[in-house]
Amino acid sequence: RFRDLDSLERSVVRCRKCPRLVEWRETSAREPPRRHAGEGYWGRPVPGFGDPAAWLFVVGLAPAAHGGNRTGRVFTGDRSGDWLYRALHRAGLANQPASVSRDDGLALTGVWVAASVRCAPPDNKPLPEERDRCRPYLEAEFDLLSGVRVVVALGKFAFEVVLGVARDRGLEIPRPRPVFGHGAEAEIGPGRLRLLGSFHPSQQNTFTGRLTEEMFDSVFRRAVALR
């Protein structure tokens, strides 16, 4: 359906399939909080980002209204993104530890990052039908990123979406079905993919100590070991 990642990105950015999400992302862009007053917002779906030759695919939940929806890059402009790109930098997979804008010079090596849902949802909670309408974009990335061997799912939502995509791609899912947890690991389609679970680096997890930087780093160390 999509010839390459560029054509996929063009389709993602134009998407208006989910009226609730379109309204939310555009309202958030028109009515920013004081800390972002006067900034030009992206206000559209946020495409995936990274190395087209990726062996590691990092999948999150959705852009933040004043993070990716503002900057136009996934996991950029909010505290979750700060955690993610610092971890990727420590793992030797990013050339710098911060992601602040689409033109900040950040480059990833061997990694592609995307969200399960490409638009910012109210309360960070996409509806099941919104998840399903958006899933073809993630499926297309799995098809186009043929070198991916390891997937890190940030949070239970992404973990379940990845399992669904793998199943629909004809990959065998282990039985009993893998259960999400921090450090959870499953082999998908014997020898094809290794799925790792991590708590999402949301403030709800990082401020409370449920997720520490050492815990986060351990997942990426394991990913590198599985490469």
Side-chain angles (χ1 to χ4, degrees):
R1 180 182 172 185
F2 298 101
R3 297 186 311 277
D4 51 36
L5 290 167
D6 288 339
S7 66
L8 172 60
E9 177 171 333
R10 289 192 294 271
S11 183
V12 167
V13 169
R14 292 195 303 264
C15 185
R16 300 182 68 85
K17 292 178 185 176
C18 302
R20 188 182 80 112
L21 299 189
V22 171
E23 180 180 5
W24 180 254
R25 78 189 192 212
E26 294 180 354
T27 298
S28 299
R30 285 195 308 270
E31 303 172 4
R34 183 177 298 174
R35 69 184 184 277
H36 296 307
E39 295 185 31
Y41 268 61
W42 175 257
R44 289 174 278 171
V46 180
F49 165 74
D51 183 353
W55 59 267
L56 172 61
F57 195 173
V58 179
V59 182
L61 196 165
H66 306 292
N69 188 57
R70 174 172 60 89
T71 64
R73 182 193 284 162
V74 64
F75 277 105
T76 297
D78 59 27
R79 292 181 187 271
S80 295
D82 294 344
W83 270 64
L84 175 61
Y85 291 112
R86 282 201 306 266
L88 291 176
H89 182 255
R90 289 192 296 266
L93 303 171
N95 69 328
Q96 61 190 44
S99 178
V100 296
S101 69
R102 285 168 62 88
D103 59 359
D104 62 5
L106 175 66
L108 304 183
T109 301
V111 186
W112 188 263
V113 181
S116 303
V117 173
R118 307 302 162 111
C119 291
D123 300 319
N124 290 320
K125 293 180 180 178
L127 300 175
E129 57 267 32
E130 294 163 347
R131 172 201 64 202
D132 294 344
R133 287 191 202 110
C134 210
R135 206 171 85 170
Y137 298 133
L138 192 66
E139 293 172 348
E141 282 169 328
F142 271 97
D143 290 342
L144 293 166
L145 298 167
S146 58
V148 166
R149 296 185 295 282
V150 183
V151 180
V152 170
L154 303 178
K156 183 178 180 180
F157 186 97
F159 193 85
E160 291 296 329
V161 168
V162 170
L163 286 175
V165 169
R167 180 198 62 221
D168 291 350
R169 284 286 170 280
L171 298 180
E172 183 181 345
I173 306 300
R175 295 193 178 193
R177 183 180 174 87
V179 176
F180 173 75
H182 188 80
E185 186 172 326
E187 189 173 9
I188 309 298
R192 174 66 180 88
L193 279 179
R194 194 67 66 96
L195 173 61
L196 304 179
S198 170
F199 291 151
H200 192 285
S202 64
Q203 292 185 51
Q204 182 179 353
N205 289 331
T206 60
F207 278 16
T208 61
R210 186 173 188 237
L211 178 66
T212 65
E213 289 198 329
E214 171 56 30
M215 290 169 64
F216 207 33
D217 286 347
S218 71
V219 172
F220 291 103
R221 284 197 299 270
R222 178 60 178 158
V224 170
L226 291 169
R227 179 178 177 180

